[in-house]
Amino acid sequence: LAAAVELKDEGPLTRSFLAALKQSTYIDVVDIVRSDTEGEELLRSGKVTFFIVIPENFERDFVRGDRPQILLAADASDPVAAGGAIGAIGEIARRAFTPDLAHLWPKLKTSPPPYDIIVHKEYNPAGITSYNIVPGLLGVILTMTMTMITAIALVRERERGTIEALLSTPVRSIEVMIGKTTPYIFVGAIQATIIVGAGALIFNIPFVGAPGALIIAMTLFVLANLMLGYLISTVAKTQMQAMQMTFFVFLPSILLSGFMFPFRAMPGWAQAIGECLPITHFLRIVREVMLKGAGFSDIVGDLWPMIVILTALALGALSRFRQTLD
């Protein structure tokens, strides 16, 4: 999992600890920061899961036996990802400092080790799993319903011949797309309102960010899934095919988006596929807005990929729609 490190004391012991972090299979040191503000921003944006700080005079206090502290801030919005932080960092520190302890006076070699690891679980201090699951369900439910109802409804109309009857009028393909998908935008808005409201009232999910930022992201996300359903409807010949193709997209959306597993802990090829799914970016936005207090400027990095995906799906659906009905 990605981590940022701040070294306020640079000596042989801290360099050994940093080297042990980089060699670890649990921690991926992606940045060495120079201030607490920089590290906290990386943590809040979701670019790192952990922010590790070696305080000033760490090495001096270590040698004196004053039990210096290693500070670990963990993004606990995903409790599964943050759950193993204490044990993992403790084991990494033990392996890093053992060779140096062999050269120090005997008192420092006793148990517990001559340092403390202080963990701060941010955004979800109690480690409540519903804080991670319920916002994620917003993206999962919208993905399934928006894609499926659009694909099946349009294929059903084609089976009954109503699409061909509609195209016999002067209406254009893009006007058909707008007309057929607009009602489902309101359906998605109703679903999202119910889910967010139930999360707040039943599961006590906090909402500390900007509602406007979430509304913008939700609109783009619903449109992207509607365009995906529209594209599927131009390929499927029957309603059963449309349903099967929807699940063919739905399952990777659950498994590779960060909903079930920590996204940064997945293999590189899985992350590459996940970045192409609109739900991946939407889940980041939902959790940042609801749990971390993000505003519009904080979510731009995930908004523009959603716009690119939406544009590609819309162009593909329009192109395919003309080819199948000409």
Side-chain angles (χ1 to χ4, degrees):
L1 295 174
V5 178
E6 181 183 7
L7 300 178
K8 295 184 178 180
D9 183 8
E10 299 189 18
L13 289 174
T14 56
R15 287 196 294 268
S16 296
F17 180 60
L18 179 60
L21 288 173
K22 292 181 177 180
Q23 294 172 4
S24 167
T25 57
Y26 190 89
I27 298 295
D28 179 19
V29 178
V30 298
D31 200 353
I32 305 295
V33 300
R34 298 301 176 187
S35 67
D36 294 343
T37 302
E38 186 179 352
E40 288 291 341
E41 179 59 30
L42 290 174
L43 193 68
R44 190 168 75 92
S45 66
K47 295 179 180 178
V48 299
T49 306
F50 303 117
F51 174 40
I52 304 167
V53 180
I54 301 296
E56 296 178 356
N57 303 319
F58 175 85
E59 191 159 323
R60 183 197 66 184
D61 295 340
F62 187 103
V63 174
R64 288 180 175 180
D66 292 338
R67 302 193 62 80
Q69 297 176 341
I70 297 174
L71 307 179
L72 172 64
D75 181 358
S77 59
D78 186 348
V80 176
I86 299 176
I89 298 296
E91 179 62 19
I92 292 171
R94 185 190 66 80
R95 293 183 179 181
F97 297 136
T98 296
D100 296 293
L101 284 172
H103 304 290
L104 298 174
W105 59 304
K107 183 179 178 181
L108 298 179
K109 303 176 186 178
T110 59
S111 181
Y115 54 86
D116 292 317
I117 298 178
I118 307 300
V119 179
H120 295 286
K121 294 183 179 180
E122 301 191 13
Y123 314 120
N124 184 11
I128 301 173
T129 55
S130 60
Y131 282 19
N132 182 62
I133 297 297
V134 175
L137 282 176
L138 177 60
V140 171
I141 293 174
L142 288 176
T143 296
M144 180 175 65
T145 56
M146 293 294 98
T147 305
M148 183 176 292
I149 62 177
T150 308
I152 292 178
L154 292 173
V155 171
R156 183 169 178 266
E157 289 198 39
R158 185 182 298 109
E159 290 178 338
R160 294 190 171 189
T162 56
I163 287 290
E164 284 78 358
L166 179 62
L167 291 182
S168 65
T169 67
V171 68
R172 293 179 297 175
S173 299
I174 190 170
E175 294 170 339
V176 174
M177 174 184 284
I178 295 173
K180 292 299 182 183
T181 57
T182 298
Y184 298 127
I185 297 177
F186 297 99
V187 175
I190 294 172
Q191 287 183 332
T193 302
I194 292 173
I195 296 169
V196 173
L201 297 176
I202 300 175
F203 298 98
N204 298 316
I205 307 298
F207 195 117
V208 296
L214 183 60
I215 291 173
I216 293 173
M218 198 178 302
T219 303
L220 290 173
F221 181 65
V222 168
L223 287 172
N225 284 291
L226 291 178
M227 292 301 104
L228 178 59
Y230 202 92
L231 179 61
I232 290 175
S233 72
T234 65
V235 178
K237 303 299 181 183
T238 65
Q239 295 181 61
M240 182 58 69
Q241 286 183 2
M243 182 178 296
Q244 291 174 336
M245 294 176 69
T246 299
F247 276 101
F248 182 78
V249 175
F250 179 61
L251 290 177
S253 296
I254 294 180
L255 297 174
L256 303 180
S257 63
F259 174 71
M260 293 190 66
F261 312 106
F263 185 81
R264 300 296 180 187
M266 295 191 300
W269 62 267
Q271 292 188 36
I273 297 175
E275 292 288 353
C276 299
L277 301 173
I279 187 175
T280 301
H281 305 283
F282 183 68
L283 290 185
R284 293 175 188 165
I285 291 174
V286 170
R287 289 165 179 164
E288 287 178 18
V289 172
M290 295 184 69
L291 303 179
K292 302 180 181 180
F296 180 79
S297 60
D298 300 308
I299 65 173
V300 171
D302 284 304
L303 279 180
W304 72 261
M306 289 178 60
I307 295 174
V308 171
I309 295 171
L310 168 61
T311 303
L313 290 173
L315 293 176
L318 276 176
S319 175
R320 180 70 189 175
F321 185 76
R322 295 194 189 97
Q323 293 175 5
T324 53
L325 294 180
D326 282 347

